[in-house]
């Protein structure tokens, strides 16, 4: 996803804080992916945890762990406004390795991307993505096979 802002687009993955209506982290993933990217997901899997030493994005709450999940995207709906921010995000189509690089996550992100790609192969039979340009998904959305 690209969050359009006054200083340029900020790359991000859908996700966020667990809300009272979310029974599990997987429920949070489904809700946030639908709200932020109009993504339909199936079969989420937990990849592990990443240490956030400062919690800066949450107002400097201090060290905390962030759960990382992967899921198969089955469809991307038409662009819509995210209810939390009041503006639409631009969905991007990128390989896990490209996403990690775009997000600037360094070696830990590269390891997460590799684990996501391995999980996609082992769990869903999806081959590793071939090198290609990162694309913006059309505003009308798309179905994925």
């Amino acid at each position: 996803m690209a969050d359009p802002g006054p200083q340029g687009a900020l790359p991000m993955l859908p996700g966020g804080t667990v809300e009272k209506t979310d029974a599990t982290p997987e429920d949070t993933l489904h809700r946030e992916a639908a709200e932020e990217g109009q993504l339909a997901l199936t079969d989420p899997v937990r990849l592990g945890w990443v240490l956030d030493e400062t919690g800066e994005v949450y107002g400097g709450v201090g060290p905390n762990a962030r759960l990382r999940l992967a899921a198969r995207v089955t469809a991307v709906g038409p662009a819509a406004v995210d209810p939390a921010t009041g503006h639409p995000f631009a969905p991007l189509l990128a390989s896990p390795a490209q996403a990690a690089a775009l997000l600037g996550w360094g070696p830990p992100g590269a390891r997460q991307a590799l684990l996501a790609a391995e999980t996609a192969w082992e769990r869903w039979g999806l081959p590793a993505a071939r090198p290609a340009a990162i694309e913006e998904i059309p505003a009308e959305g798309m179905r994925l096979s």
Side-chain angles (χ1 to χ4, degrees):
M1 311 295 302
D3 181 0
Q7 297 160 335
L10 174 67
M12 58 176 276
L13 292 176
T17 304
V18 177
E19 294 182 1
K20 291 178 183 179
T21 57
D22 300 327
T24 66
E26 290 79 6
D27 290 342
T28 302
L29 175 65
H30 282 284
R31 180 182 49 75
E32 291 283 351
E35 287 176 1
E36 294 175 356
Q38 289 62 59
L39 301 174
L41 306 176
T42 188
D43 197 22
V45 60
R46 295 179 186 196
L47 298 177
W49 300 86
V50 174
L51 175 62
D52 176 353
E53 294 187 19
T54 65
E56 182 100 12
V57 74
Y58 294 111
V61 297
N64 62 84
R66 296 175 190 253
L67 178 62
R68 294 295 188 223
L69 299 108
R72 196 163 51 91
V73 177
T74 58
V76 182
V81 172
D82 172 34
T85 64
H87 57 80
F89 295 108
L92 304 174
L93 191 58
S95 72
Q98 288 171 313
L102 189 62
L103 292 162
W105 286 355
R111 287 190 297 275
Q112 288 177 45
L114 180 59
L115 181 57
E118 289 171 351
T119 299
W121 171 249
E122 292 167 4
R123 191 170 183 121
W124 306 306
L126 299 174
R130 289 185 231 133
I134 295 173
E135 298 178 50
E136 185 172 346
I137 294 174
E140 64 271 9
M142 65 190 297
R143 292 208 52 81
L144 302 171
S145 53

